[in-house]
Amino acid sequence: MNKPKISMEELVSYCKRRGFVFQASEIYGGVAGMYDFGPYGVELKNNLKRLWWKEVVYKNTNVVGLDSAIIQNPKVWQASGHVERFNDPMVDCKACKKRFRADKLADVDSTDVKELTDIIAKLDCPNCGKHDWTDIRQFNLLMKTFLGPVEDDSAVAYLRGETCQGIYTNYDNVRETTRAKLPFGVAQIGKAFRNEITPGDFLFRQREFEQAEMQMFVHPDEASKVFAEWKQARMEWHQSFLTKENLRFREHGENERAHYAKDAWDIEYNFPFGFKEMEGIHNRGDWDLSRHSKYSSKELDYFDEASGKKYIPWVVETSVGMDRLFLATILDAYHEEKVGDETRVVLKLKPELAPVKVAILPLSKKPELSKVAQEVFASVAGEYNVEYDETQSIGKRYRRQDEIGTPLCVTVDFESLDDKAVTVRDRDSMEQERVKMSELKEYLDSKLS
Ligand code: ATP
């Protein structure tokens, strides 16, 4: 494994210091597995979501979007198999009471309880060193709530454990309203909830997180081909802004595949704690639509006009965790560079992803400079995130913008009052160029595009 550029501890503190990510409910001591995205975090995440949406929805003639409810009829989760089988194996150390996810403790990608029990039987507790394990038990990850005022079994509902179920339940609505012919896809970005046994590794394993999923409905005979195409396309997309060497495919083993999966591959990223799943690409067969058809008693067959035949479409799914992608994007963009005797931290994000595109920095707080600088701000703000900052020395303000990845800084100095021009500094080269105020917006747009 390459030596990470930054440790997880450093990354967590950098993300907090620079306003990317805060611990949720921090003033109350936090809450396990939950994070809040700060002023720059929300920008970066929105930019990543927009990039994904453009790639998956706008670039394909046969993919459309959807935004379904987080809470659905509980029957959805019975049909999907989640109520019965969305489990993680759990084991406790009887000596120190520490709880582990059994497959993570055993360090195998398997859900087979016998296999996990055999491996764990040979291990001591990594926390206390003793050897006194409970049996492995299955723990259901769905988060429960109640609808309405009475908290009894008939009011139980679930926060969605994955976004795709809302796509399956709307398959027929989308097909009918868009007049789509197979193969067609439906994409959605949204929150998902899992009561993870051991949340950890910062944003990597949370209890509330965000998924970007695309479900392609296909003829069964076409599923393998469509699967191969999307698998390749998804990897190329990640490679378009993340370092190639930090990305790899991994095929799921027999004991690891979800109950519905005919074929399953992960795209893994090289996190500081090793190569781990960032996106899953699955051939789900006809599991989803046939189960929902059975449980709802609604026919979800597709009628193929050309052949005059009916069949249940198969589903090819791509599912990326936006928070894991967010983590990978920061890790990948993070650089420390020597400048003279100093080290500068610079986030080399492509402009499209940068939380702030342009910073307007008057050289000092003098009112006559502020006035002009505010006018410059107004002339370029509106279409993308522009920041105005007049506190601290100009050097410190440059460093601060470098650290959050701002591609361009615009300095308004005393000369600007006479020559009606400003200095534009490039984040990566640190080169500066004098640009007329009247041409500034056009100049910035062309640099950012
Ligand atoms: P893992 O094996 O790491 O638990 P998974 O195989 O259960 O993940 P999927 O059900 O395939 O994950 O979900 C699709 C994507 O959602 C994952 O590739 C990941 O990026 C993201 N994801 C899943 N669980 C979490 C989580 N607890 N926190 C953050 N992201 C997650």
Side-chain angles (χ1 to χ4, degrees):
M1 198 194 345
N2 300 337
K3 187 180 168 305
K5 288 181 278 189
I6 180 170
S7 71
M8 283 308 281
E9 290 74 33
E10 287 163 339
L11 182 74
V12 173
S13 108
Y14 162 80
C15 281
K16 178 177 175 187
R17 195 174 67 245
R18 284 297 170 225
F20 282 98
V21 182
F22 308 128
Q23 203 183 3
S25 322
E26 192 189 274
I27 59 169
Y28 291 102
V31 50
M34 309 285 180
Y35 287 92
D36 296 335
F37 288 81
Y40 302 122
V42 65
E43 294 289 340
L44 174 55
K45 207 172 185 206
N46 282 343
N47 294 341
L48 282 166
K49 289 195 255 184
R50 205 169 301 120
L51 199 67
W52 182 88
W53 195 266
K54 278 190 195 167
E55 174 73 15
V56 173
V57 182
Y58 295 168
K59 275 199 191 162
N60 293 289
T61 52
N62 62 349
V63 180
V64 294
L66 183 81
D67 184 16
S68 69
I70 285 175
I71 294 180
Q72 301 277 344
N73 187 312
K75 281 190 194 147
V76 167
W77 303 102
Q78 283 154 17
S80 69
H82 282 75
V83 172
E84 195 190 338
R85 292 194 248 190
F86 193 41
N87 299 324
D88 271 344
M90 172 169 88
V91 65
D92 293 2
C93 168
K94 287 192 215 160
C96 71
K97 308 279 181 263
K98 188 152 171 80
R99 175 158 291 168
F100 298 90
R101 218 178 107 174
D103 55 332
K104 300 292 167 202
L105 181 67
D107 199 21
V108 284
D109 292 310
S110 171
T111 52
D112 185 71
V113 173
K114 166 94 179 55
E115 184 184 352
L116 296 175
T117 305
D118 289 348
I119 297 174
I120 291 172
K122 295 183 200 124
L123 302 176
D124 294 332
C125 172
N127 190 46
C128 72
K130 302 243 167 60
H131 184 96
D132 196 2
W133 298 113
T134 62
D135 287 342
I136 293 175
R137 286 149 300 146
Q138 295 292 350
F139 175 75
N140 192 280
L141 300 185
L142 280 181
M143 283 210 201
K144 276 189 195 168
T145 185
F146 298 93
L147 293 184
V150 184
E151 296 194 0
D152 63 14
D153 284 353
S154 67
V156 166
Y158 303 98
L159 305 194
R160 65 182 173 202
E162 57 187 19
T163 56
C164 56
Q165 293 303 326
I167 296 181
Y168 307 138
T169 55
N170 277 298
Y171 155 76
D172 227 27
N173 282 335
V174 174
R175 188 193 55 75
E176 248 181 65
T177 51
T178 63
R179 297 167 294 119
K181 300 263 180 283
L182 254 54
F184 73 89
V186 182
Q188 162 156 242
I189 300 177
K191 293 269 182 164
F193 302 81
R194 296 183 185 178
N195 205 359
E196 296 279 357
I197 299 168
T198 47
D201 289 325
F202 194 31
L203 303 177
F204 184 83
R205 189 169 302 287
Q206 297 171 83
R207 289 183 169 140
E208 173 179 337
F209 56 97
E210 210 155 5
Q211 291 184 316
E213 300 199 299
M214 192 282 310
Q215 312 294 315
M216 201 82 197
F217 299 97
V218 299
H219 186 286
D221 293 348
E222 284 201 314
S224 299
K225 183 173 139 271
V226 172
F227 179 87
E229 285 164 5
W230 275 94
K231 181 173 154 236
Q232 189 54 32
R234 295 305 303 142
M235 177 57 106
E236 282 168 17
W237 183 73
H238 288 289
Q239 289 174 342
S240 72
F241 61 98
L242 299 173
T243 313
K244 276 191 183 160
E245 293 69 44
N246 285 334
L247 292 159
R248 72 176 190 197
F249 280 121
R250 189 181 70 81
E251 187 176 11
H252 282 207
E254 277 296 319
N255 287 341
E256 182 192 1
R257 239 179 261 165
H259 50 272
Y260 49 75
K262 299 241 177 289
D263 199 359
W265 288 72
D266 291 340
I267 293 176
E268 296 188 328
Y269 182 80
N270 188 10
F271 293 99
F273 40 90
F275 271 100
K276 297 279 180 221
E277 169 174 352
M278 185 155 70
E279 170 152 358
I281 300 132
H282 310 125
N283 175 349
R284 300 174 67 120
D286 69 356
W287 166 264
D288 303 287
L289 290 188
S290 59
R291 290 279 289 196
H292 283 302
S293 176
K294 185 172 157 205
Y295 277 68
S296 67
S297 309
K298 293 267 178 325
E299 198 181 288
L300 296 175
D301 291 5
Y302 178 78
F303 177 69
D304 184 23
E305 280 167 17
S307 66
K309 287 194 182 141
K310 269 192 195 174
Y311 56 87
I312 296 248
W314 281 27
V315 169
V316 171
E317 159 186 82
T318 72
S319 173
V320 58
M322 273 297 153
D323 309 83
R324 291 186 187 178
L325 185 65
F326 180 100
L327 203 56
T329 303
I330 292 198
L331 284 163
D332 222 84
Y334 184 93
H335 286 82
E336 288 180 9
E337 281 178 1
K338 278 257 167 258
V339 182
D341 309 334
E342 276 184 56
T343 304
R344 76 159 181 158
V345 170
V346 52
L347 209 55
K348 295 195 171 172
L349 293 168
K350 66 177 191 173
E352 205 174 352
L353 291 178
V356 176
K357 311 291 183 214
V358 178
I360 309 292
L361 313 172
L363 202 60
S364 84
K365 273 198 232 170
K366 293 255 160 54
E368 60 268 42
L369 269 196
S370 293
K371 183 173 171 289
V372 177
Q374 299 264 8
E375 283 166 12
V376 172
F377 174 85
S379 74
V380 298
E383 260 176 74
Y384 37 72
N385 197 20
V386 182
E387 195 166 273
Y388 181 89
D389 184 8
E390 55 181 24
T391 52
Q392 294 189 314
S393 75
I394 190 71
K396 279 198 178 142
R397 280 181 279 162
Y398 281 154
R399 293 289 174 267
R400 188 170 176 280
Q401 295 299 335
D402 288 344
E403 280 199 41
I404 60 167
T406 307
L408 299 167
C409 286
V410 175
T411 320
V412 181
D413 53 29
F414 287 100
E415 249 182 272
S416 306
L417 304 179
D418 299 326
D419 71 356
K420 303 278 178 256
V422 290
T423 303
V424 181
R425 170 187 178 271
D426 179 274
R427 174 194 70 199
D428 298 338
S429 67
M430 291 186 288
E431 272 166 21
Q432 309 200 354
E433 210 174 319
R434 200 78 183 156
V435 180
K436 281 192 198 144
M437 285 181 206
S438 58
E439 290 164 11
L440 184 63
K441 178 72 168 55
E442 212 178 317
Y443 176 90
L444 297 175
D445 287 351
S446 79
K447 283 272 177 187
L448 291 170
S449 68

